[in-house]
Amino acid sequence: MKRSDLTEKILDIKRMKRWSWREICEQIGGLSPVLLIGALLGQMKLTKPLATAAAKLFGLNSAEEALLNEVPMRGAGMPMPPTDPLIYRFYELVMVNGPALKALIEEEFGDGIMSAIDFDLVLERQTDPKGDRVKITMSGKFLPYKYYGASGNHPAYGYKEE
């Protein structure tokens, strides 16, 4: 079975049982809903205990449970640029605001990146009289670039120079 087949099976069961993602996350527990749902959609891996809990909830066999515990090929099957309108808006957000975010992060932290591995993401609904808003908070560890071969007065890492 391919990971995409397992994702479709999970989505079919979700539809058949009329479960919400919130209900599924409450039953499995243990992770951020974004990460847990991402794993069930084939983009992340679950730890063995969480893969077991998911397999029990969805009635999966041992091979399918093991597949939930494997590191997936992240982003597989995603066209670039994305064609789904909601996902495309995230792409657009990064394309339009990415250079400014990069400049601000580098000015504040130095030469490096924000980790998408050592990372937290929280999605919240904010009520607003003009229409509810989606609030997404991202927090990633700053990882300075390593200047390999640096010696003498040259910094080994791209931390902000004072």
Side-chain angles (χ1 to χ4, degrees):
M1 171 179 272
K2 292 188 283 185
R3 191 71 179 249
S4 59
D5 297 328
L6 180 55
T7 296
E8 287 306 314
K9 180 175 181 174
I10 287 169
L11 289 172
D12 285 344
I13 293 167
K14 177 187 179 291
R15 278 188 290 273
M16 184 183 71
K17 302 258 187 187
R18 293 191 161 110
W19 288 337
S20 69
W21 285 119
R22 183 181 307 262
E23 291 168 323
I24 292 167
C25 291
E26 287 171 358
Q27 290 294 312
I28 298 171
L31 293 176
S32 152
V34 175
L35 199 147
L36 182 55
I37 295 164
L40 295 174
L41 293 176
Q43 295 301 310
M44 302 295 279
K45 88 172 237 169
L46 292 177
T47 61
K48 286 183 180 181
L50 292 179
T52 299
K56 182 178 177 185
L57 179 66
F58 285 96
L60 305 178
N61 65 39
S62 60
E64 293 164 333
E65 178 181 333
L67 195 52
L68 288 173
N69 181 243
E70 287 183 13
V71 176
M73 181 64 72
R74 294 177 173 98
M78 178 75 66
M80 284 313 245
T83 56
D84 178 87
L86 195 144
I87 295 173
Y88 182 82
R89 289 301 166 266
F90 284 102
Y91 177 79
E92 180 181 46
L93 185 145
V94 171
M95 295 305 295
V96 172
N97 296 294
L101 291 169
K102 178 182 181 340
L104 289 166
I105 289 169
E106 288 173 348
E107 184 174 273
E108 181 69 25
F109 293 92
D111 187 15
I113 63 169
M114 181 179 84
S115 176
I117 295 171
D118 190 343
F119 183 83
D120 289 316
L121 189 146
V122 177
L123 184 137
E124 300 171 82
R125 180 184 202 125
Q126 281 188 320
T127 56
D128 188 296
K130 296 177 186 173
D132 287 357
R133 302 180 65 81
V134 178
K135 179 180 179 183
I136 297 172
T137 305
M138 297 186 295
S139 172
K141 180 179 180 181
F142 179 74
L143 300 171
Y145 280 106
K146 181 177 180 185
Y147 298 143
Y148 42 90
S151 62
N153 291 334
H154 300 288
Y157 290 94
Y159 288 109
K160 181 177 177 185
E161 295 182 57
E162 299 297 328

